[in-house]
Amino acid sequence: MVQHPPLTAEAIETFLEETLEAEFSFLRLDELIAAIHPLPRLQQDYLLDWVKRISTTNIEIAYQFAGRAVPLLDQLDRRVLETWALTAMDTYDRTGLRDALLVIRNVEQFVHTSEIRTSGTVFEDISGILFTFIRGLSGRKLKLEQADAPFTDSETLYLPTVIAWMETVEDNFRLAKAMVAFQWAQTRYGSFRVNLHDALADYPDQAHALNCFFALETLRLDACLARELPGLYRDMLALRQALGQTALPAGWDSFAHELAAPDASVTDTLRCLQSAYPHPAPAPVCYQGELRPDAVASTMAARLEREKMLLRVKLAELVDDLHPSQREEDEKKPPVFNLKEPEEGNVPNIDQFEITLNDMPVAPPEDVRQLITSIKLDLGDIPPEYLTPAGDGEYDPKLYQDEERDPDAVWQGTYHEEGAHLYPEWDCGRKHYRKNWCVLREKDVRPGEAGYVAEVLARYGGLVKHLRKTFEAMRDENRVEKRQVQGDEVDIDALVEALADARDGSEMSDRLFTRMHRSERNIAVMFMVDMSGSTKGWINDAEREALVLLAEALEVLGDRYAIYGFSGITRKRCEIFRVKSFDEPYTPAVKARIAGIAPQEYTRMGVAIRHLSKLLIEVEARTKLLITLSDGKPDDYFDVYRGQYGIEDTRQSLIEARRAGIHPFCITIDREAKAYLPHMYGAANYIEIDDVKKLPLKAADIYRKLTT
């Protein structure tokens, strides 16, 4: 490696004067230059690089950091130094310069509190990965939040801000994953199907009884995890072994054996509690966390009431959809739903069941399946009254959805963030995220002209017919599977390779055929529509027409799709406009919203991509697409977001989407797109349309190519 000589005092002075704007800030640089000059070149480069990063946030913080950091370069781990700098910048974002300078000046106190963080894992760093992990588990969709200790209220999984029980960052991450998995197991395997207050009421020492119960449940849940997630459970066991937590008190081995049975339930745990109560409870294991019955009880009570009414309303809607005349015949033969639950061995599969309506099988929508799964997790089965469709007048939206404020009214007066979505933003200057930087709210598009969609369909009548035929063919198309043991035709490529192998003396492959296989489409696509002010006129008209044609074609194809617009002004007023959600049919209301898509403010893209990616992650699909219709690059009102900052933030949000299994693609009409879109999306993940009038004609064709 080439060793560069240390920077001269003149080079350091030039760098600091430019970076810290010394001519305008009146900072005294002599002492700082004298301190940096004797350092080795690697330390000089490291320090000055961080001074430059911090200066993009605030020059005074960068100056104070440089002066304090010089004597610490040989004393502190680089990770601690960097965390110190980032904490100062985050503090500046939240509460201003005074508090940020306190972080810089009180470096000794910061180092003391950061020693744990050096080997620990921080919630903010791992929450995205763990959230994706949670989404891959069966059962109810769960949230992930911070708290003072690990526990769950049956809807949210809570982790501490820092987890530092183990010696390395890697092991602490495994511990965080184990904590999340154990909390999920409590919801998945029915730990909360009993009323603990009533179940423990007869025990003289209820705190001890609760500890014994939780220890017994841990034995049962460990056995469940060992069966369903054996790889993860091996990591959990290794964590316990590293901390010396594998031994059980005398007499507890028999409980572990009994609760390891595949059909063991929380009822068996309560039965074992009668024998375990007189004995000391085992010490909690590292991933066990706490059991908080009060939090579980209040959350479950609200959820059961809400989900019971919601399921009954959804079943009533299902009756209307499947049998429009059923309502007229209710007095003769009222609709009766039943559930049939197939079993795997001795343990019912909570996610698999069949629904019948008047003894005829029906295919319920995904939201109904999720509701039934959630109720089964709480109760073990579905009571008959839950399967009774709601009658007229029974529907009360307050029972199962939060009352939303008018999003427009929220922006009026003194600004506040209550009820908003907060998202980070990538700062390319500091090379790190600004935490909770963007404030976003969802709102519905106001309906437009009632006859707009019909006018578009009449205008493009021939194209609509062509698209429908094309998409019908896509729905029924077959694909060729090569290198099969049996098939319809010989695979020439495979045969040539096999003959070549035979001539070389190698064993000849028997995979020499091709066969046709019916493709099963499992696609979810999110259309993200630019509603910035620059789309006014032809561009907005073309976007709306393109969405009409796409919606008509996708209704034929059967792919799940959603349409959202985005706009806003500054980081404190980012807006997402609902046109159509994934679980919403293509109704006249949706058509009216498409007609109502209109230009708004500016184009802060990163936060919109993060929010729509979050919605897309929640959809179960093998292929997930995020298709953006836009007329230009990221932009905002008199904001640093204009230029490289906005491009880099958008690029980072797209990287996050790809990590979550989403494929982003951009359709743009910006003639300067080649200057920035390849950097943001990649060379093959965008297309430029040279004439806005061609957008409606091209959009459906582009979608067809993306999904075949």
Side-chain angles (χ1 to χ4, degrees):
M1 181 176 177
V2 179
Q3 296 290 333
H4 296 287
L7 295 170
T8 64
E10 291 76 12
I12 296 172
E13 181 179 14
T14 300
F15 178 88
L16 292 177
E17 285 182 347
E18 181 180 343
T19 302
L20 301 179
E21 300 178 7
E23 183 178 352
F24 305 102
S25 58
F26 304 104
L27 297 174
R28 298 184 60 182
L29 302 180
D30 295 345
E31 292 183 6
L32 186 56
I33 294 168
I36 297 174
H37 181 242
L39 297 175
R41 179 60 183 268
L42 289 177
Q43 289 188 352
Q44 288 178 337
D45 289 343
Y46 177 82
L47 180 62
L48 294 177
D49 177 62
W50 273 96
V51 170
K52 186 174 183 179
R53 289 198 205 183
I54 300 171
S55 68
T56 63
T57 297
N58 183 271
I59 290 173
E60 182 65 26
I61 299 174
Y63 174 74
Q64 295 291 340
F65 169 83
R68 295 274 178 167
V70 170
L72 301 174
L73 289 172
D74 291 325
Q75 302 176 27
L76 297 182
D77 182 270
R78 288 287 186 266
R79 187 180 177 200
V80 175
L81 279 170
E82 292 165 11
T83 304
W84 173 45
L86 291 170
T87 301
M89 289 187 280
D90 290 339
T91 303
Y92 176 81
D93 290 343
R94 293 194 310 271
T95 58
L97 180 60
R98 180 179 179 276
D99 290 341
L101 292 177
L102 287 176
V103 173
I104 295 295
R105 291 165 186 165
N106 297 332
V107 61
E108 293 81 8
Q109 178 182 349
F110 179 85
V111 170
H112 176 72
T113 58
S114 296
E115 288 177 353
I116 297 176
R117 290 176 176 247
T118 302
S119 61
T121 185
V122 182
F123 178 88
E124 292 175 346
D125 295 339
I126 62 172
S127 58
I129 300 172
L130 292 180
F131 183 76
T132 302
F133 169 66
I134 294 168
R135 289 297 178 190
L137 299 173
S138 60
R140 178 182 299 122
K141 292 183 178 179
L142 300 165
K143 296 178 286 187
L144 186 64
E145 300 289 349
Q146 295 184 70
D148 56 339
F151 76 97
T152 180
D153 62 4
S154 75
E155 281 187 4
T156 304
L157 312 182
Y158 292 95
L159 288 179
T161 302
V162 180
I163 298 172
W165 288 27
M166 313 303 294
E167 293 184 358
T168 67
V169 176
E170 293 76 15
D171 283 343
N172 280 310
F173 173 73
R174 293 189 186 97
L175 179 56
K177 191 174 181 180
M179 289 176 174
V180 164
F182 185 79
Q183 292 179 50
W184 163 78
Q186 294 175 63
T187 68
R188 172 64 178 82
Y189 300 110
S191 295
F192 306 132
R193 291 179 191 165
V194 294
N195 185 321
L196 278 181
H197 286 291
D198 295 343
L200 305 181
D202 294 334
Y203 290 94
D205 187 347
Q206 293 191 14
H208 175 64
L210 182 63
N211 290 337
C212 288
F213 169 83
F214 199 22
L216 291 167
E217 264 298 271
T218 299
L219 296 176
R220 185 178 74 87
L221 297 176
D222 277 351
C224 294
L225 288 167
R227 286 190 296 269
E228 186 153 340
L229 300 172
L232 176 63
Y233 182 70
R234 284 193 292 271
D235 286 345
M236 297 169 71
L237 196 57
L239 293 170
R240 292 178 58 175
Q241 290 170 344
L243 296 171
Q245 298 179 342
T246 54
L248 290 173
W252 278 72
D253 287 330
S254 60
F255 301 139
H257 177 74
E258 185 173 349
L259 294 174
D263 59 347
S265 68
V266 69
T267 304
D268 298 297
T269 303
L270 288 175
R271 181 171 45 77
C272 290
L273 178 61
Q274 299 174 10
S275 302
Y277 175 77
H279 305 285
V285 297
C286 53
Y287 51 77
Q288 183 176 334
E290 298 180 1
L291 183 61
R292 302 187 180 182
D294 291 339
V296 172
S298 60
T299 301
M300 281 187 62
R303 181 174 62 247
L304 284 171
E305 182 182 12
R306 180 178 69 247
E307 290 186 343
K308 177 182 178 180
M309 177 54 72
L310 183 54
L311 178 60
R312 295 185 61 218
V313 169
K314 292 291 184 181
L315 292 179
E317 294 174 353
L318 192 58
V319 171
D320 290 338
D321 291 341
L322 295 174
H323 301 288
S325 61
Q326 181 71 54
R327 287 295 185 190
E328 301 174 2
E329 301 177 3
D330 277 354
E331 295 182 1
K332 302 176 182 177
K333 186 180 181 182
V336 177
F337 283 93
N338 283 300
L339 226 64
K340 181 181 179 182
E341 305 178 40
E343 294 190 355
E344 295 181 358
N346 297 320
V347 183
N349 189 322
I350 205 81
D351 298 315
Q352 295 185 4
F353 44 82
E354 296 178 359
I355 300 179
T356 61
L357 172 57
N358 294 340
D359 297 326
M360 295 294 292
V362 297
E366 183 60 28
D367 56 348
V368 173
R369 298 193 68 86
Q370 291 176 5
L371 269 175
I372 292 174
T373 296
S374 181
I375 296 168
K376 287 177 65 181
L377 287 171
D378 285 337
L379 303 178
D381 56 13
I382 306 294
E385 61 269 22
Y386 280 61
L387 296 173
T388 304
D392 294 336
E394 288 191 69
Y395 167 57
D396 183 358
K398 292 181 181 179
L399 289 176
Y400 66 87
Q401 68 181 24
D402 296 330
E403 186 175 353
E404 295 186 358
R405 299 181 183 183
D406 178 3
D408 289 327
V410 173
W411 303 123
Q412 298 171 6
T414 303
Y415 170 75
H416 58 85
E417 298 175 354
E418 181 184 351
H421 301 275
L422 302 180
Y423 286 96
E425 189 167 87
W426 179 257
D427 185 331
C428 59
R430 67 171 67 171
K431 299 179 184 176
H432 203 267
Y433 289 98
R434 290 177 177 259
K435 298 171 184 175
N436 294 334
W437 191 243
C438 294
V439 184
L440 179 142
R441 297 183 188 273
E442 280 193 19
K443 56 194 296 187
D444 286 328
V445 173
R446 293 179 179 176
E449 303 171 15
Y452 174 78
V453 171
E455 293 176 7
V456 173
L457 294 178
R459 191 181 314 134
Y460 292 96
L463 178 60
V464 170
K465 291 180 181 179
H466 171 71
L467 289 175
R468 285 173 177 165
K469 289 182 179 179
T470 302
F471 278 59
E472 282 175 358
M474 289 169 58
R475 181 184 61 193
D476 299 327
E477 70 184 4
N478 295 330
R479 62 183 173 87
V480 177
E481 290 186 339
K482 296 186 175 184
R483 302 181 187 277
Q484 302 297 310
V485 177
Q486 298 177 348
D488 307 314
E489 297 181 4
V490 175
D491 186 337
I492 301 299
D493 293 336
L495 178 60
V496 170
E497 290 182 15
L499 291 174
D501 290 340
R503 294 190 64 176
D504 289 341
S506 303
E507 183 178 354
M508 185 173 176
S509 172
D510 60 349
R511 296 182 172 275
L512 305 175
F513 300 93
T514 64
R515 69 179 179 186
M516 300 300 294
H517 177 74
R518 175 66 59 87
S519 297
E520 293 185 4
R521 297 179 65 87
N522 187 7
I523 296 173
V525 58
M526 171 74 74
F527 291 101
M528 174 174 147
V529 184
D530 185 351
M531 290 174 58
S532 61
S534 60
T535 64
K536 186 176 182 179
W538 276 102
I539 298 173
N540 179 252
D541 292 340
E543 284 181 339
R544 292 188 297 160
E545 291 175 356
L547 290 172
V548 170
L549 299 183
L550 281 166
E552 293 291 330
L554 289 172
E555 287 298 309
V556 173
L557 188 57
D559 288 353
R560 285 168 290 171
Y561 67 101
I563 303 170
Y564 285 79
F566 73 98
S567 182
I569 181 167
T570 76
R571 68 179 183 89
K572 291 189 174 184
R573 184 171 178 171
C574 305
E575 295 177 325
I576 288 290
F577 298 87
R578 280 187 297 261
V579 180
K580 178 187 178 299
S581 59
F582 280 108
D583 58 358
E584 188 175 10
Y586 185 50
T587 61
V590 171
K591 296 177 182 179
R593 287 187 218 123
I594 293 176
I597 293 175
Q600 303 293 324
E601 303 290 350
Y602 290 86
T603 320
R604 206 172 192 107
M605 289 184 69
V607 62
I609 291 170
R610 290 184 178 96
H611 184 72
L612 297 184
S613 295
K614 181 180 177 182
L615 298 182
L616 194 49
I617 287 170
E618 296 176 353
V619 179
E620 298 293 336
R622 184 172 60 246
T623 302
K624 299 179 181 180
L625 299 175
L626 175 62
I627 299 179
T628 303
L629 303 179
S630 179
D631 75 324
K633 61 185 177 182
D635 188 21
D636 207 340
Y637 175 76
F638 290 120
D639 193 292
V640 70
Y641 208 81
R642 288 183 171 176
Q644 195 64 26
Y645 182 103
I647 289 173
E648 294 298 333
D649 174 57
T650 303
R651 179 175 183 268
Q652 189 68 19
S653 67
L654 292 167
I655 291 172
E656 296 162 20
R658 291 189 190 97
R659 287 174 183 164
I662 297 170
H663 176 64
F665 191 87
C666 182
I667 303 174
T668 183
I669 57 171
D670 185 6
R671 295 180 179 178
E672 299 178 359
K674 290 184 177 64
Y676 61 90
L677 277 186
H679 180 65
M680 285 168 32
Y681 279 86
N685 294 318
Y686 79 96
I687 188 169
E688 177 188 345
I689 297 176
D690 57 5
D691 185 351
V692 66
K693 298 177 183 179
K694 296 179 181 179
L695 179 62
L697 308 176
K698 291 282 189 179
D701 187 53
I702 293 168
Y703 180 81
R704 180 181 61 81
K705 292 177 180 178
L706 283 174
T707 59
T708 55

